[in-house]
Amino acid sequence: EEEEEDVFTITQGGQQIEFVVGAKVEVLYDDEQWYPGEICSYTETTGKFRFKLTEGSNTRFAEWLPNADVRLVDFKVINDPGEANPNAITPGGPPPKTKLEEELEKEAAEGN
């Protein structure tokens, strides 16, 4: 039997949207240009999505969504709560930093 595809839901551009792994995205690169890419996978433990650029470089990276540098192209807009997938997953964002992590980061920054 077919496994149900995980559906994810985030807010993008003020709209609630739903999307799946494999969705097309556009990625803002270091040169300030948007490049086409797609979502490869989702890691539940970190809450991050893996992306790859689909033109040219094949660069792969992991990021949280929503993200100012990643725009979903394939998605469904949810205009009404009744349209929302009841099983849609809201991905976890960056975890709150622990005091220890903040201290270590501060030390690392000062050590450079």
Side-chain angles (χ1 to χ4, degrees):
E1 68 190 50
E2 287 235 353
E3 259 194 57
E4 283 280 305
E5 230 181 346
D6 282 341
V7 175
F8 297 92
T9 182
I10 61 168
T11 303
Q12 174 177 279
Q15 297 178 307
Q16 186 187 348
I17 64 171
E18 289 179 358
F19 61 95
V20 295
V21 167
K24 302 271 178 273
V25 296
E26 290 178 334
V27 180
L28 185 61
Y29 213 62
D30 302 339
D31 60 5
E32 301 297 310
Q33 300 292 314
W34 291 90
Y35 290 93
E38 65 183 40
I39 301 175
C40 304
S41 62
Y42 174 67
T43 307
E44 219 168 300
T45 48
T46 59
K48 281 187 171 181
F49 291 87
R50 299 262 328 145
F51 300 91
K52 71 171 185 213
L53 296 183
T54 48
E55 242 174 53
S57 68
N58 263 342
T59 301
R60 289 170 182 266
F61 61 97
E63 275 298 347
W64 286 292
L65 287 176
N67 189 305
D69 295 344
V70 181
R71 273 199 303 235
L72 276 124
V73 182
D74 287 343
F75 58 85
K76 175 181 165 192
V77 177
I78 307 304
N79 295 310
D80 185 300
E83 297 174 4
N85 182 326
N87 302 317
I89 298 164
T90 302
K97 287 204 171 97
T98 63
K99 278 274 169 272
L100 178 65
E101 284 173 322
E102 283 177 7
E103 291 299 314
L104 291 174
E105 276 183 15
K106 216 181 281 174
E107 281 174 26
E110 287 164 6
N112 285 349

